[in-house]
């Protein structure tokens, strides 16, 4: 049974879907949910699901990313996770932190990578006139949003879409995609999961 820790920054809807998926014959179990924001709404959702939580407020470590990450690691190391899932975690991690979880840290990103790493992905897809948008789950490497792809979900861009409407439809697919990727990854299979709306 693989032990999974999840990092969030906000509402944690992807995190909740991951927790809900890890039941019965699933090859993994959630052991810890953490956030860089003590007020992240997702923390209460994880607690309600019976999962231990922690927060390390990044604002207390302004300008000292290694110290922030050391504090994160104190919590994470105690939980001895085999897999670390970033689920709406909005802090950039140093190469040193990434190397601690090499080949076992996953991230979900709201674009069809390699298109649109970074922020404002939906607006950028709309501005480019793309016919499709989506989300990607990938292994985290030191380069932002550039690691090997473990799964993608596609949605059509519809007439009248704005960034919010597109984001909402992509999020529905994120909720399908991330649990499928985690299940496959935890069982040792890295074949990409490809789904469409
Ligand atoms: C999701 O759309 C996720 O793809 C995105 O943040 C949202 C978090 O929602 N992640 C990133 O932008 C990472 N750069 P959630 O907290 O409801 O899961």
């Amino acid at each position: 049974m693989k032990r999974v820790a999840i990092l969030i920054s906000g509402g944690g809807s992807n995190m909740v879907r991951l927790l809900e998926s890890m039941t019965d014959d699933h090859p993994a179990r959630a052991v810890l949910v953490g956030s860089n924001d003590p007020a992240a709404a997702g923390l209460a959702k994880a607690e309600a699901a019976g999962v231990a939580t922690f927060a390390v407020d990044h604002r207390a470590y302004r300008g000292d990313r290694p110290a922030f990450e050391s504090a994160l690691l104190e919590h994470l190391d105690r939980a001895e996770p085999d897999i670390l899932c970033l689920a709406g975690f909005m802090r950039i991690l140093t190469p040193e932190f990434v190397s601690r979880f090499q080949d076992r840290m996953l991230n979900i990103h709201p674009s069809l990578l390699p298109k649109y790493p970074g922020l404002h992905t939906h607006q950028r897809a709309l501005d480019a006139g793309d016919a499709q948008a989506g989300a990607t789950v990938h292994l985290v490497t030191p380069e932002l949003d550039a690691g090997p792809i473990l799964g993608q979900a596609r949605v059509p861009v519809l007439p009248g879409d704005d960034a919010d409407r597109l984001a909402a439809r992509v999020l529905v697919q994120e909720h399908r995609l991330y649990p499928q990727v985690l299940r496959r990854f935890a069982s040792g299979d890295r074949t990409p999961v490809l789904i469409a709306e």
Side-chain angles (χ1 to χ4, degrees), residues 106 137-139 148-152 177-195:
L106 279 52
V137 177
H138 63 95
L139 277 168
I149 288 173
L150 298 173
Q152 280 189 320
L177 177 68
Y178 211 170
Q180 288 185 42
V181 171
L182 178 60
R183 178 184 282 268
R184 196 175 276 193
F185 185 79
S187 67
D189 181 355
R190 297 187 181 194
T191 317
V193 174
L194 301 174
I195 65 175

Side-chain angles (χ1 to χ4, degrees), residues 100-128:
R100 286 287 306 270
F101 295 95
Q102 191 176 355
D103 290 326
R104 56 197 184 96
M105 177 164 25
L106 279 52
N107 179 46
I108 187 157
H109 180 77
S111 79
L112 294 173
L113 290 172
K115 280 190 165 181
Y116 316 129
L119 299 175
H120 311 303
T121 53
H122 303 299
Q123 191 59 52
R124 288 156 71 195
L126 290 169
D127 291 347

Side-chain angles (χ1 to χ4, degrees), residues 47-62:
E47 277 159 30
V51 179
T53 66
F54 74 93
V56 173
D57 191 342
H58 69 276
R59 290 163 295 197
Y61 298 89
R62 193 160 286 155

Side-chain angles (χ1 to χ4, degrees), residues 8-16 42 45 86-90 107-111 118-122 135-136 144-145 167 170-171 174-175:
I8 63 170
S9 294
S13 69
N14 277 291
M15 174 273 298
V16 168
K45 297 174 192 171
L86 307 183
F89 184 68
M90 303 305 281
N107 179 46
I108 187 157
H109 180 77
S111 79
L119 299 175
H120 311 303
T121 53
H122 303 299
T136 303
L144 183 69
D145 299 329
V170 170
L171 188 62
E174 293 183 42
H175 294 164

Side-chain angles (χ1 to χ4, degrees), residues 17-87:
R17 295 309 181 100
L18 291 176
L19 295 187
E20 288 171 354
S21 74
M22 284 182 268
T23 58
D24 305 329
D25 65 341
H26 199 286
R29 287 288 182 272
V31 294
L32 188 63
V33 171
S35 178
N36 62 295
D37 180 358
L43 290 173
K45 297 174 192 171
E47 277 159 30
V51 179
T53 66
F54 74 93
V56 173
D57 191 342
H58 69 276
R59 290 163 295 197
Y61 298 89
R62 193 160 286 155
D64 193 350
R65 208 179 284 273
F68 166 67
E69 292 180 348
S70 294
L72 281 184
L73 281 171
E74 268 183 40
H75 292 275
L76 291 171
D77 284 346
R78 274 201 294 273
E80 300 184 337
D82 301 298
I83 298 170
L84 179 57
C85 291
L86 307 183

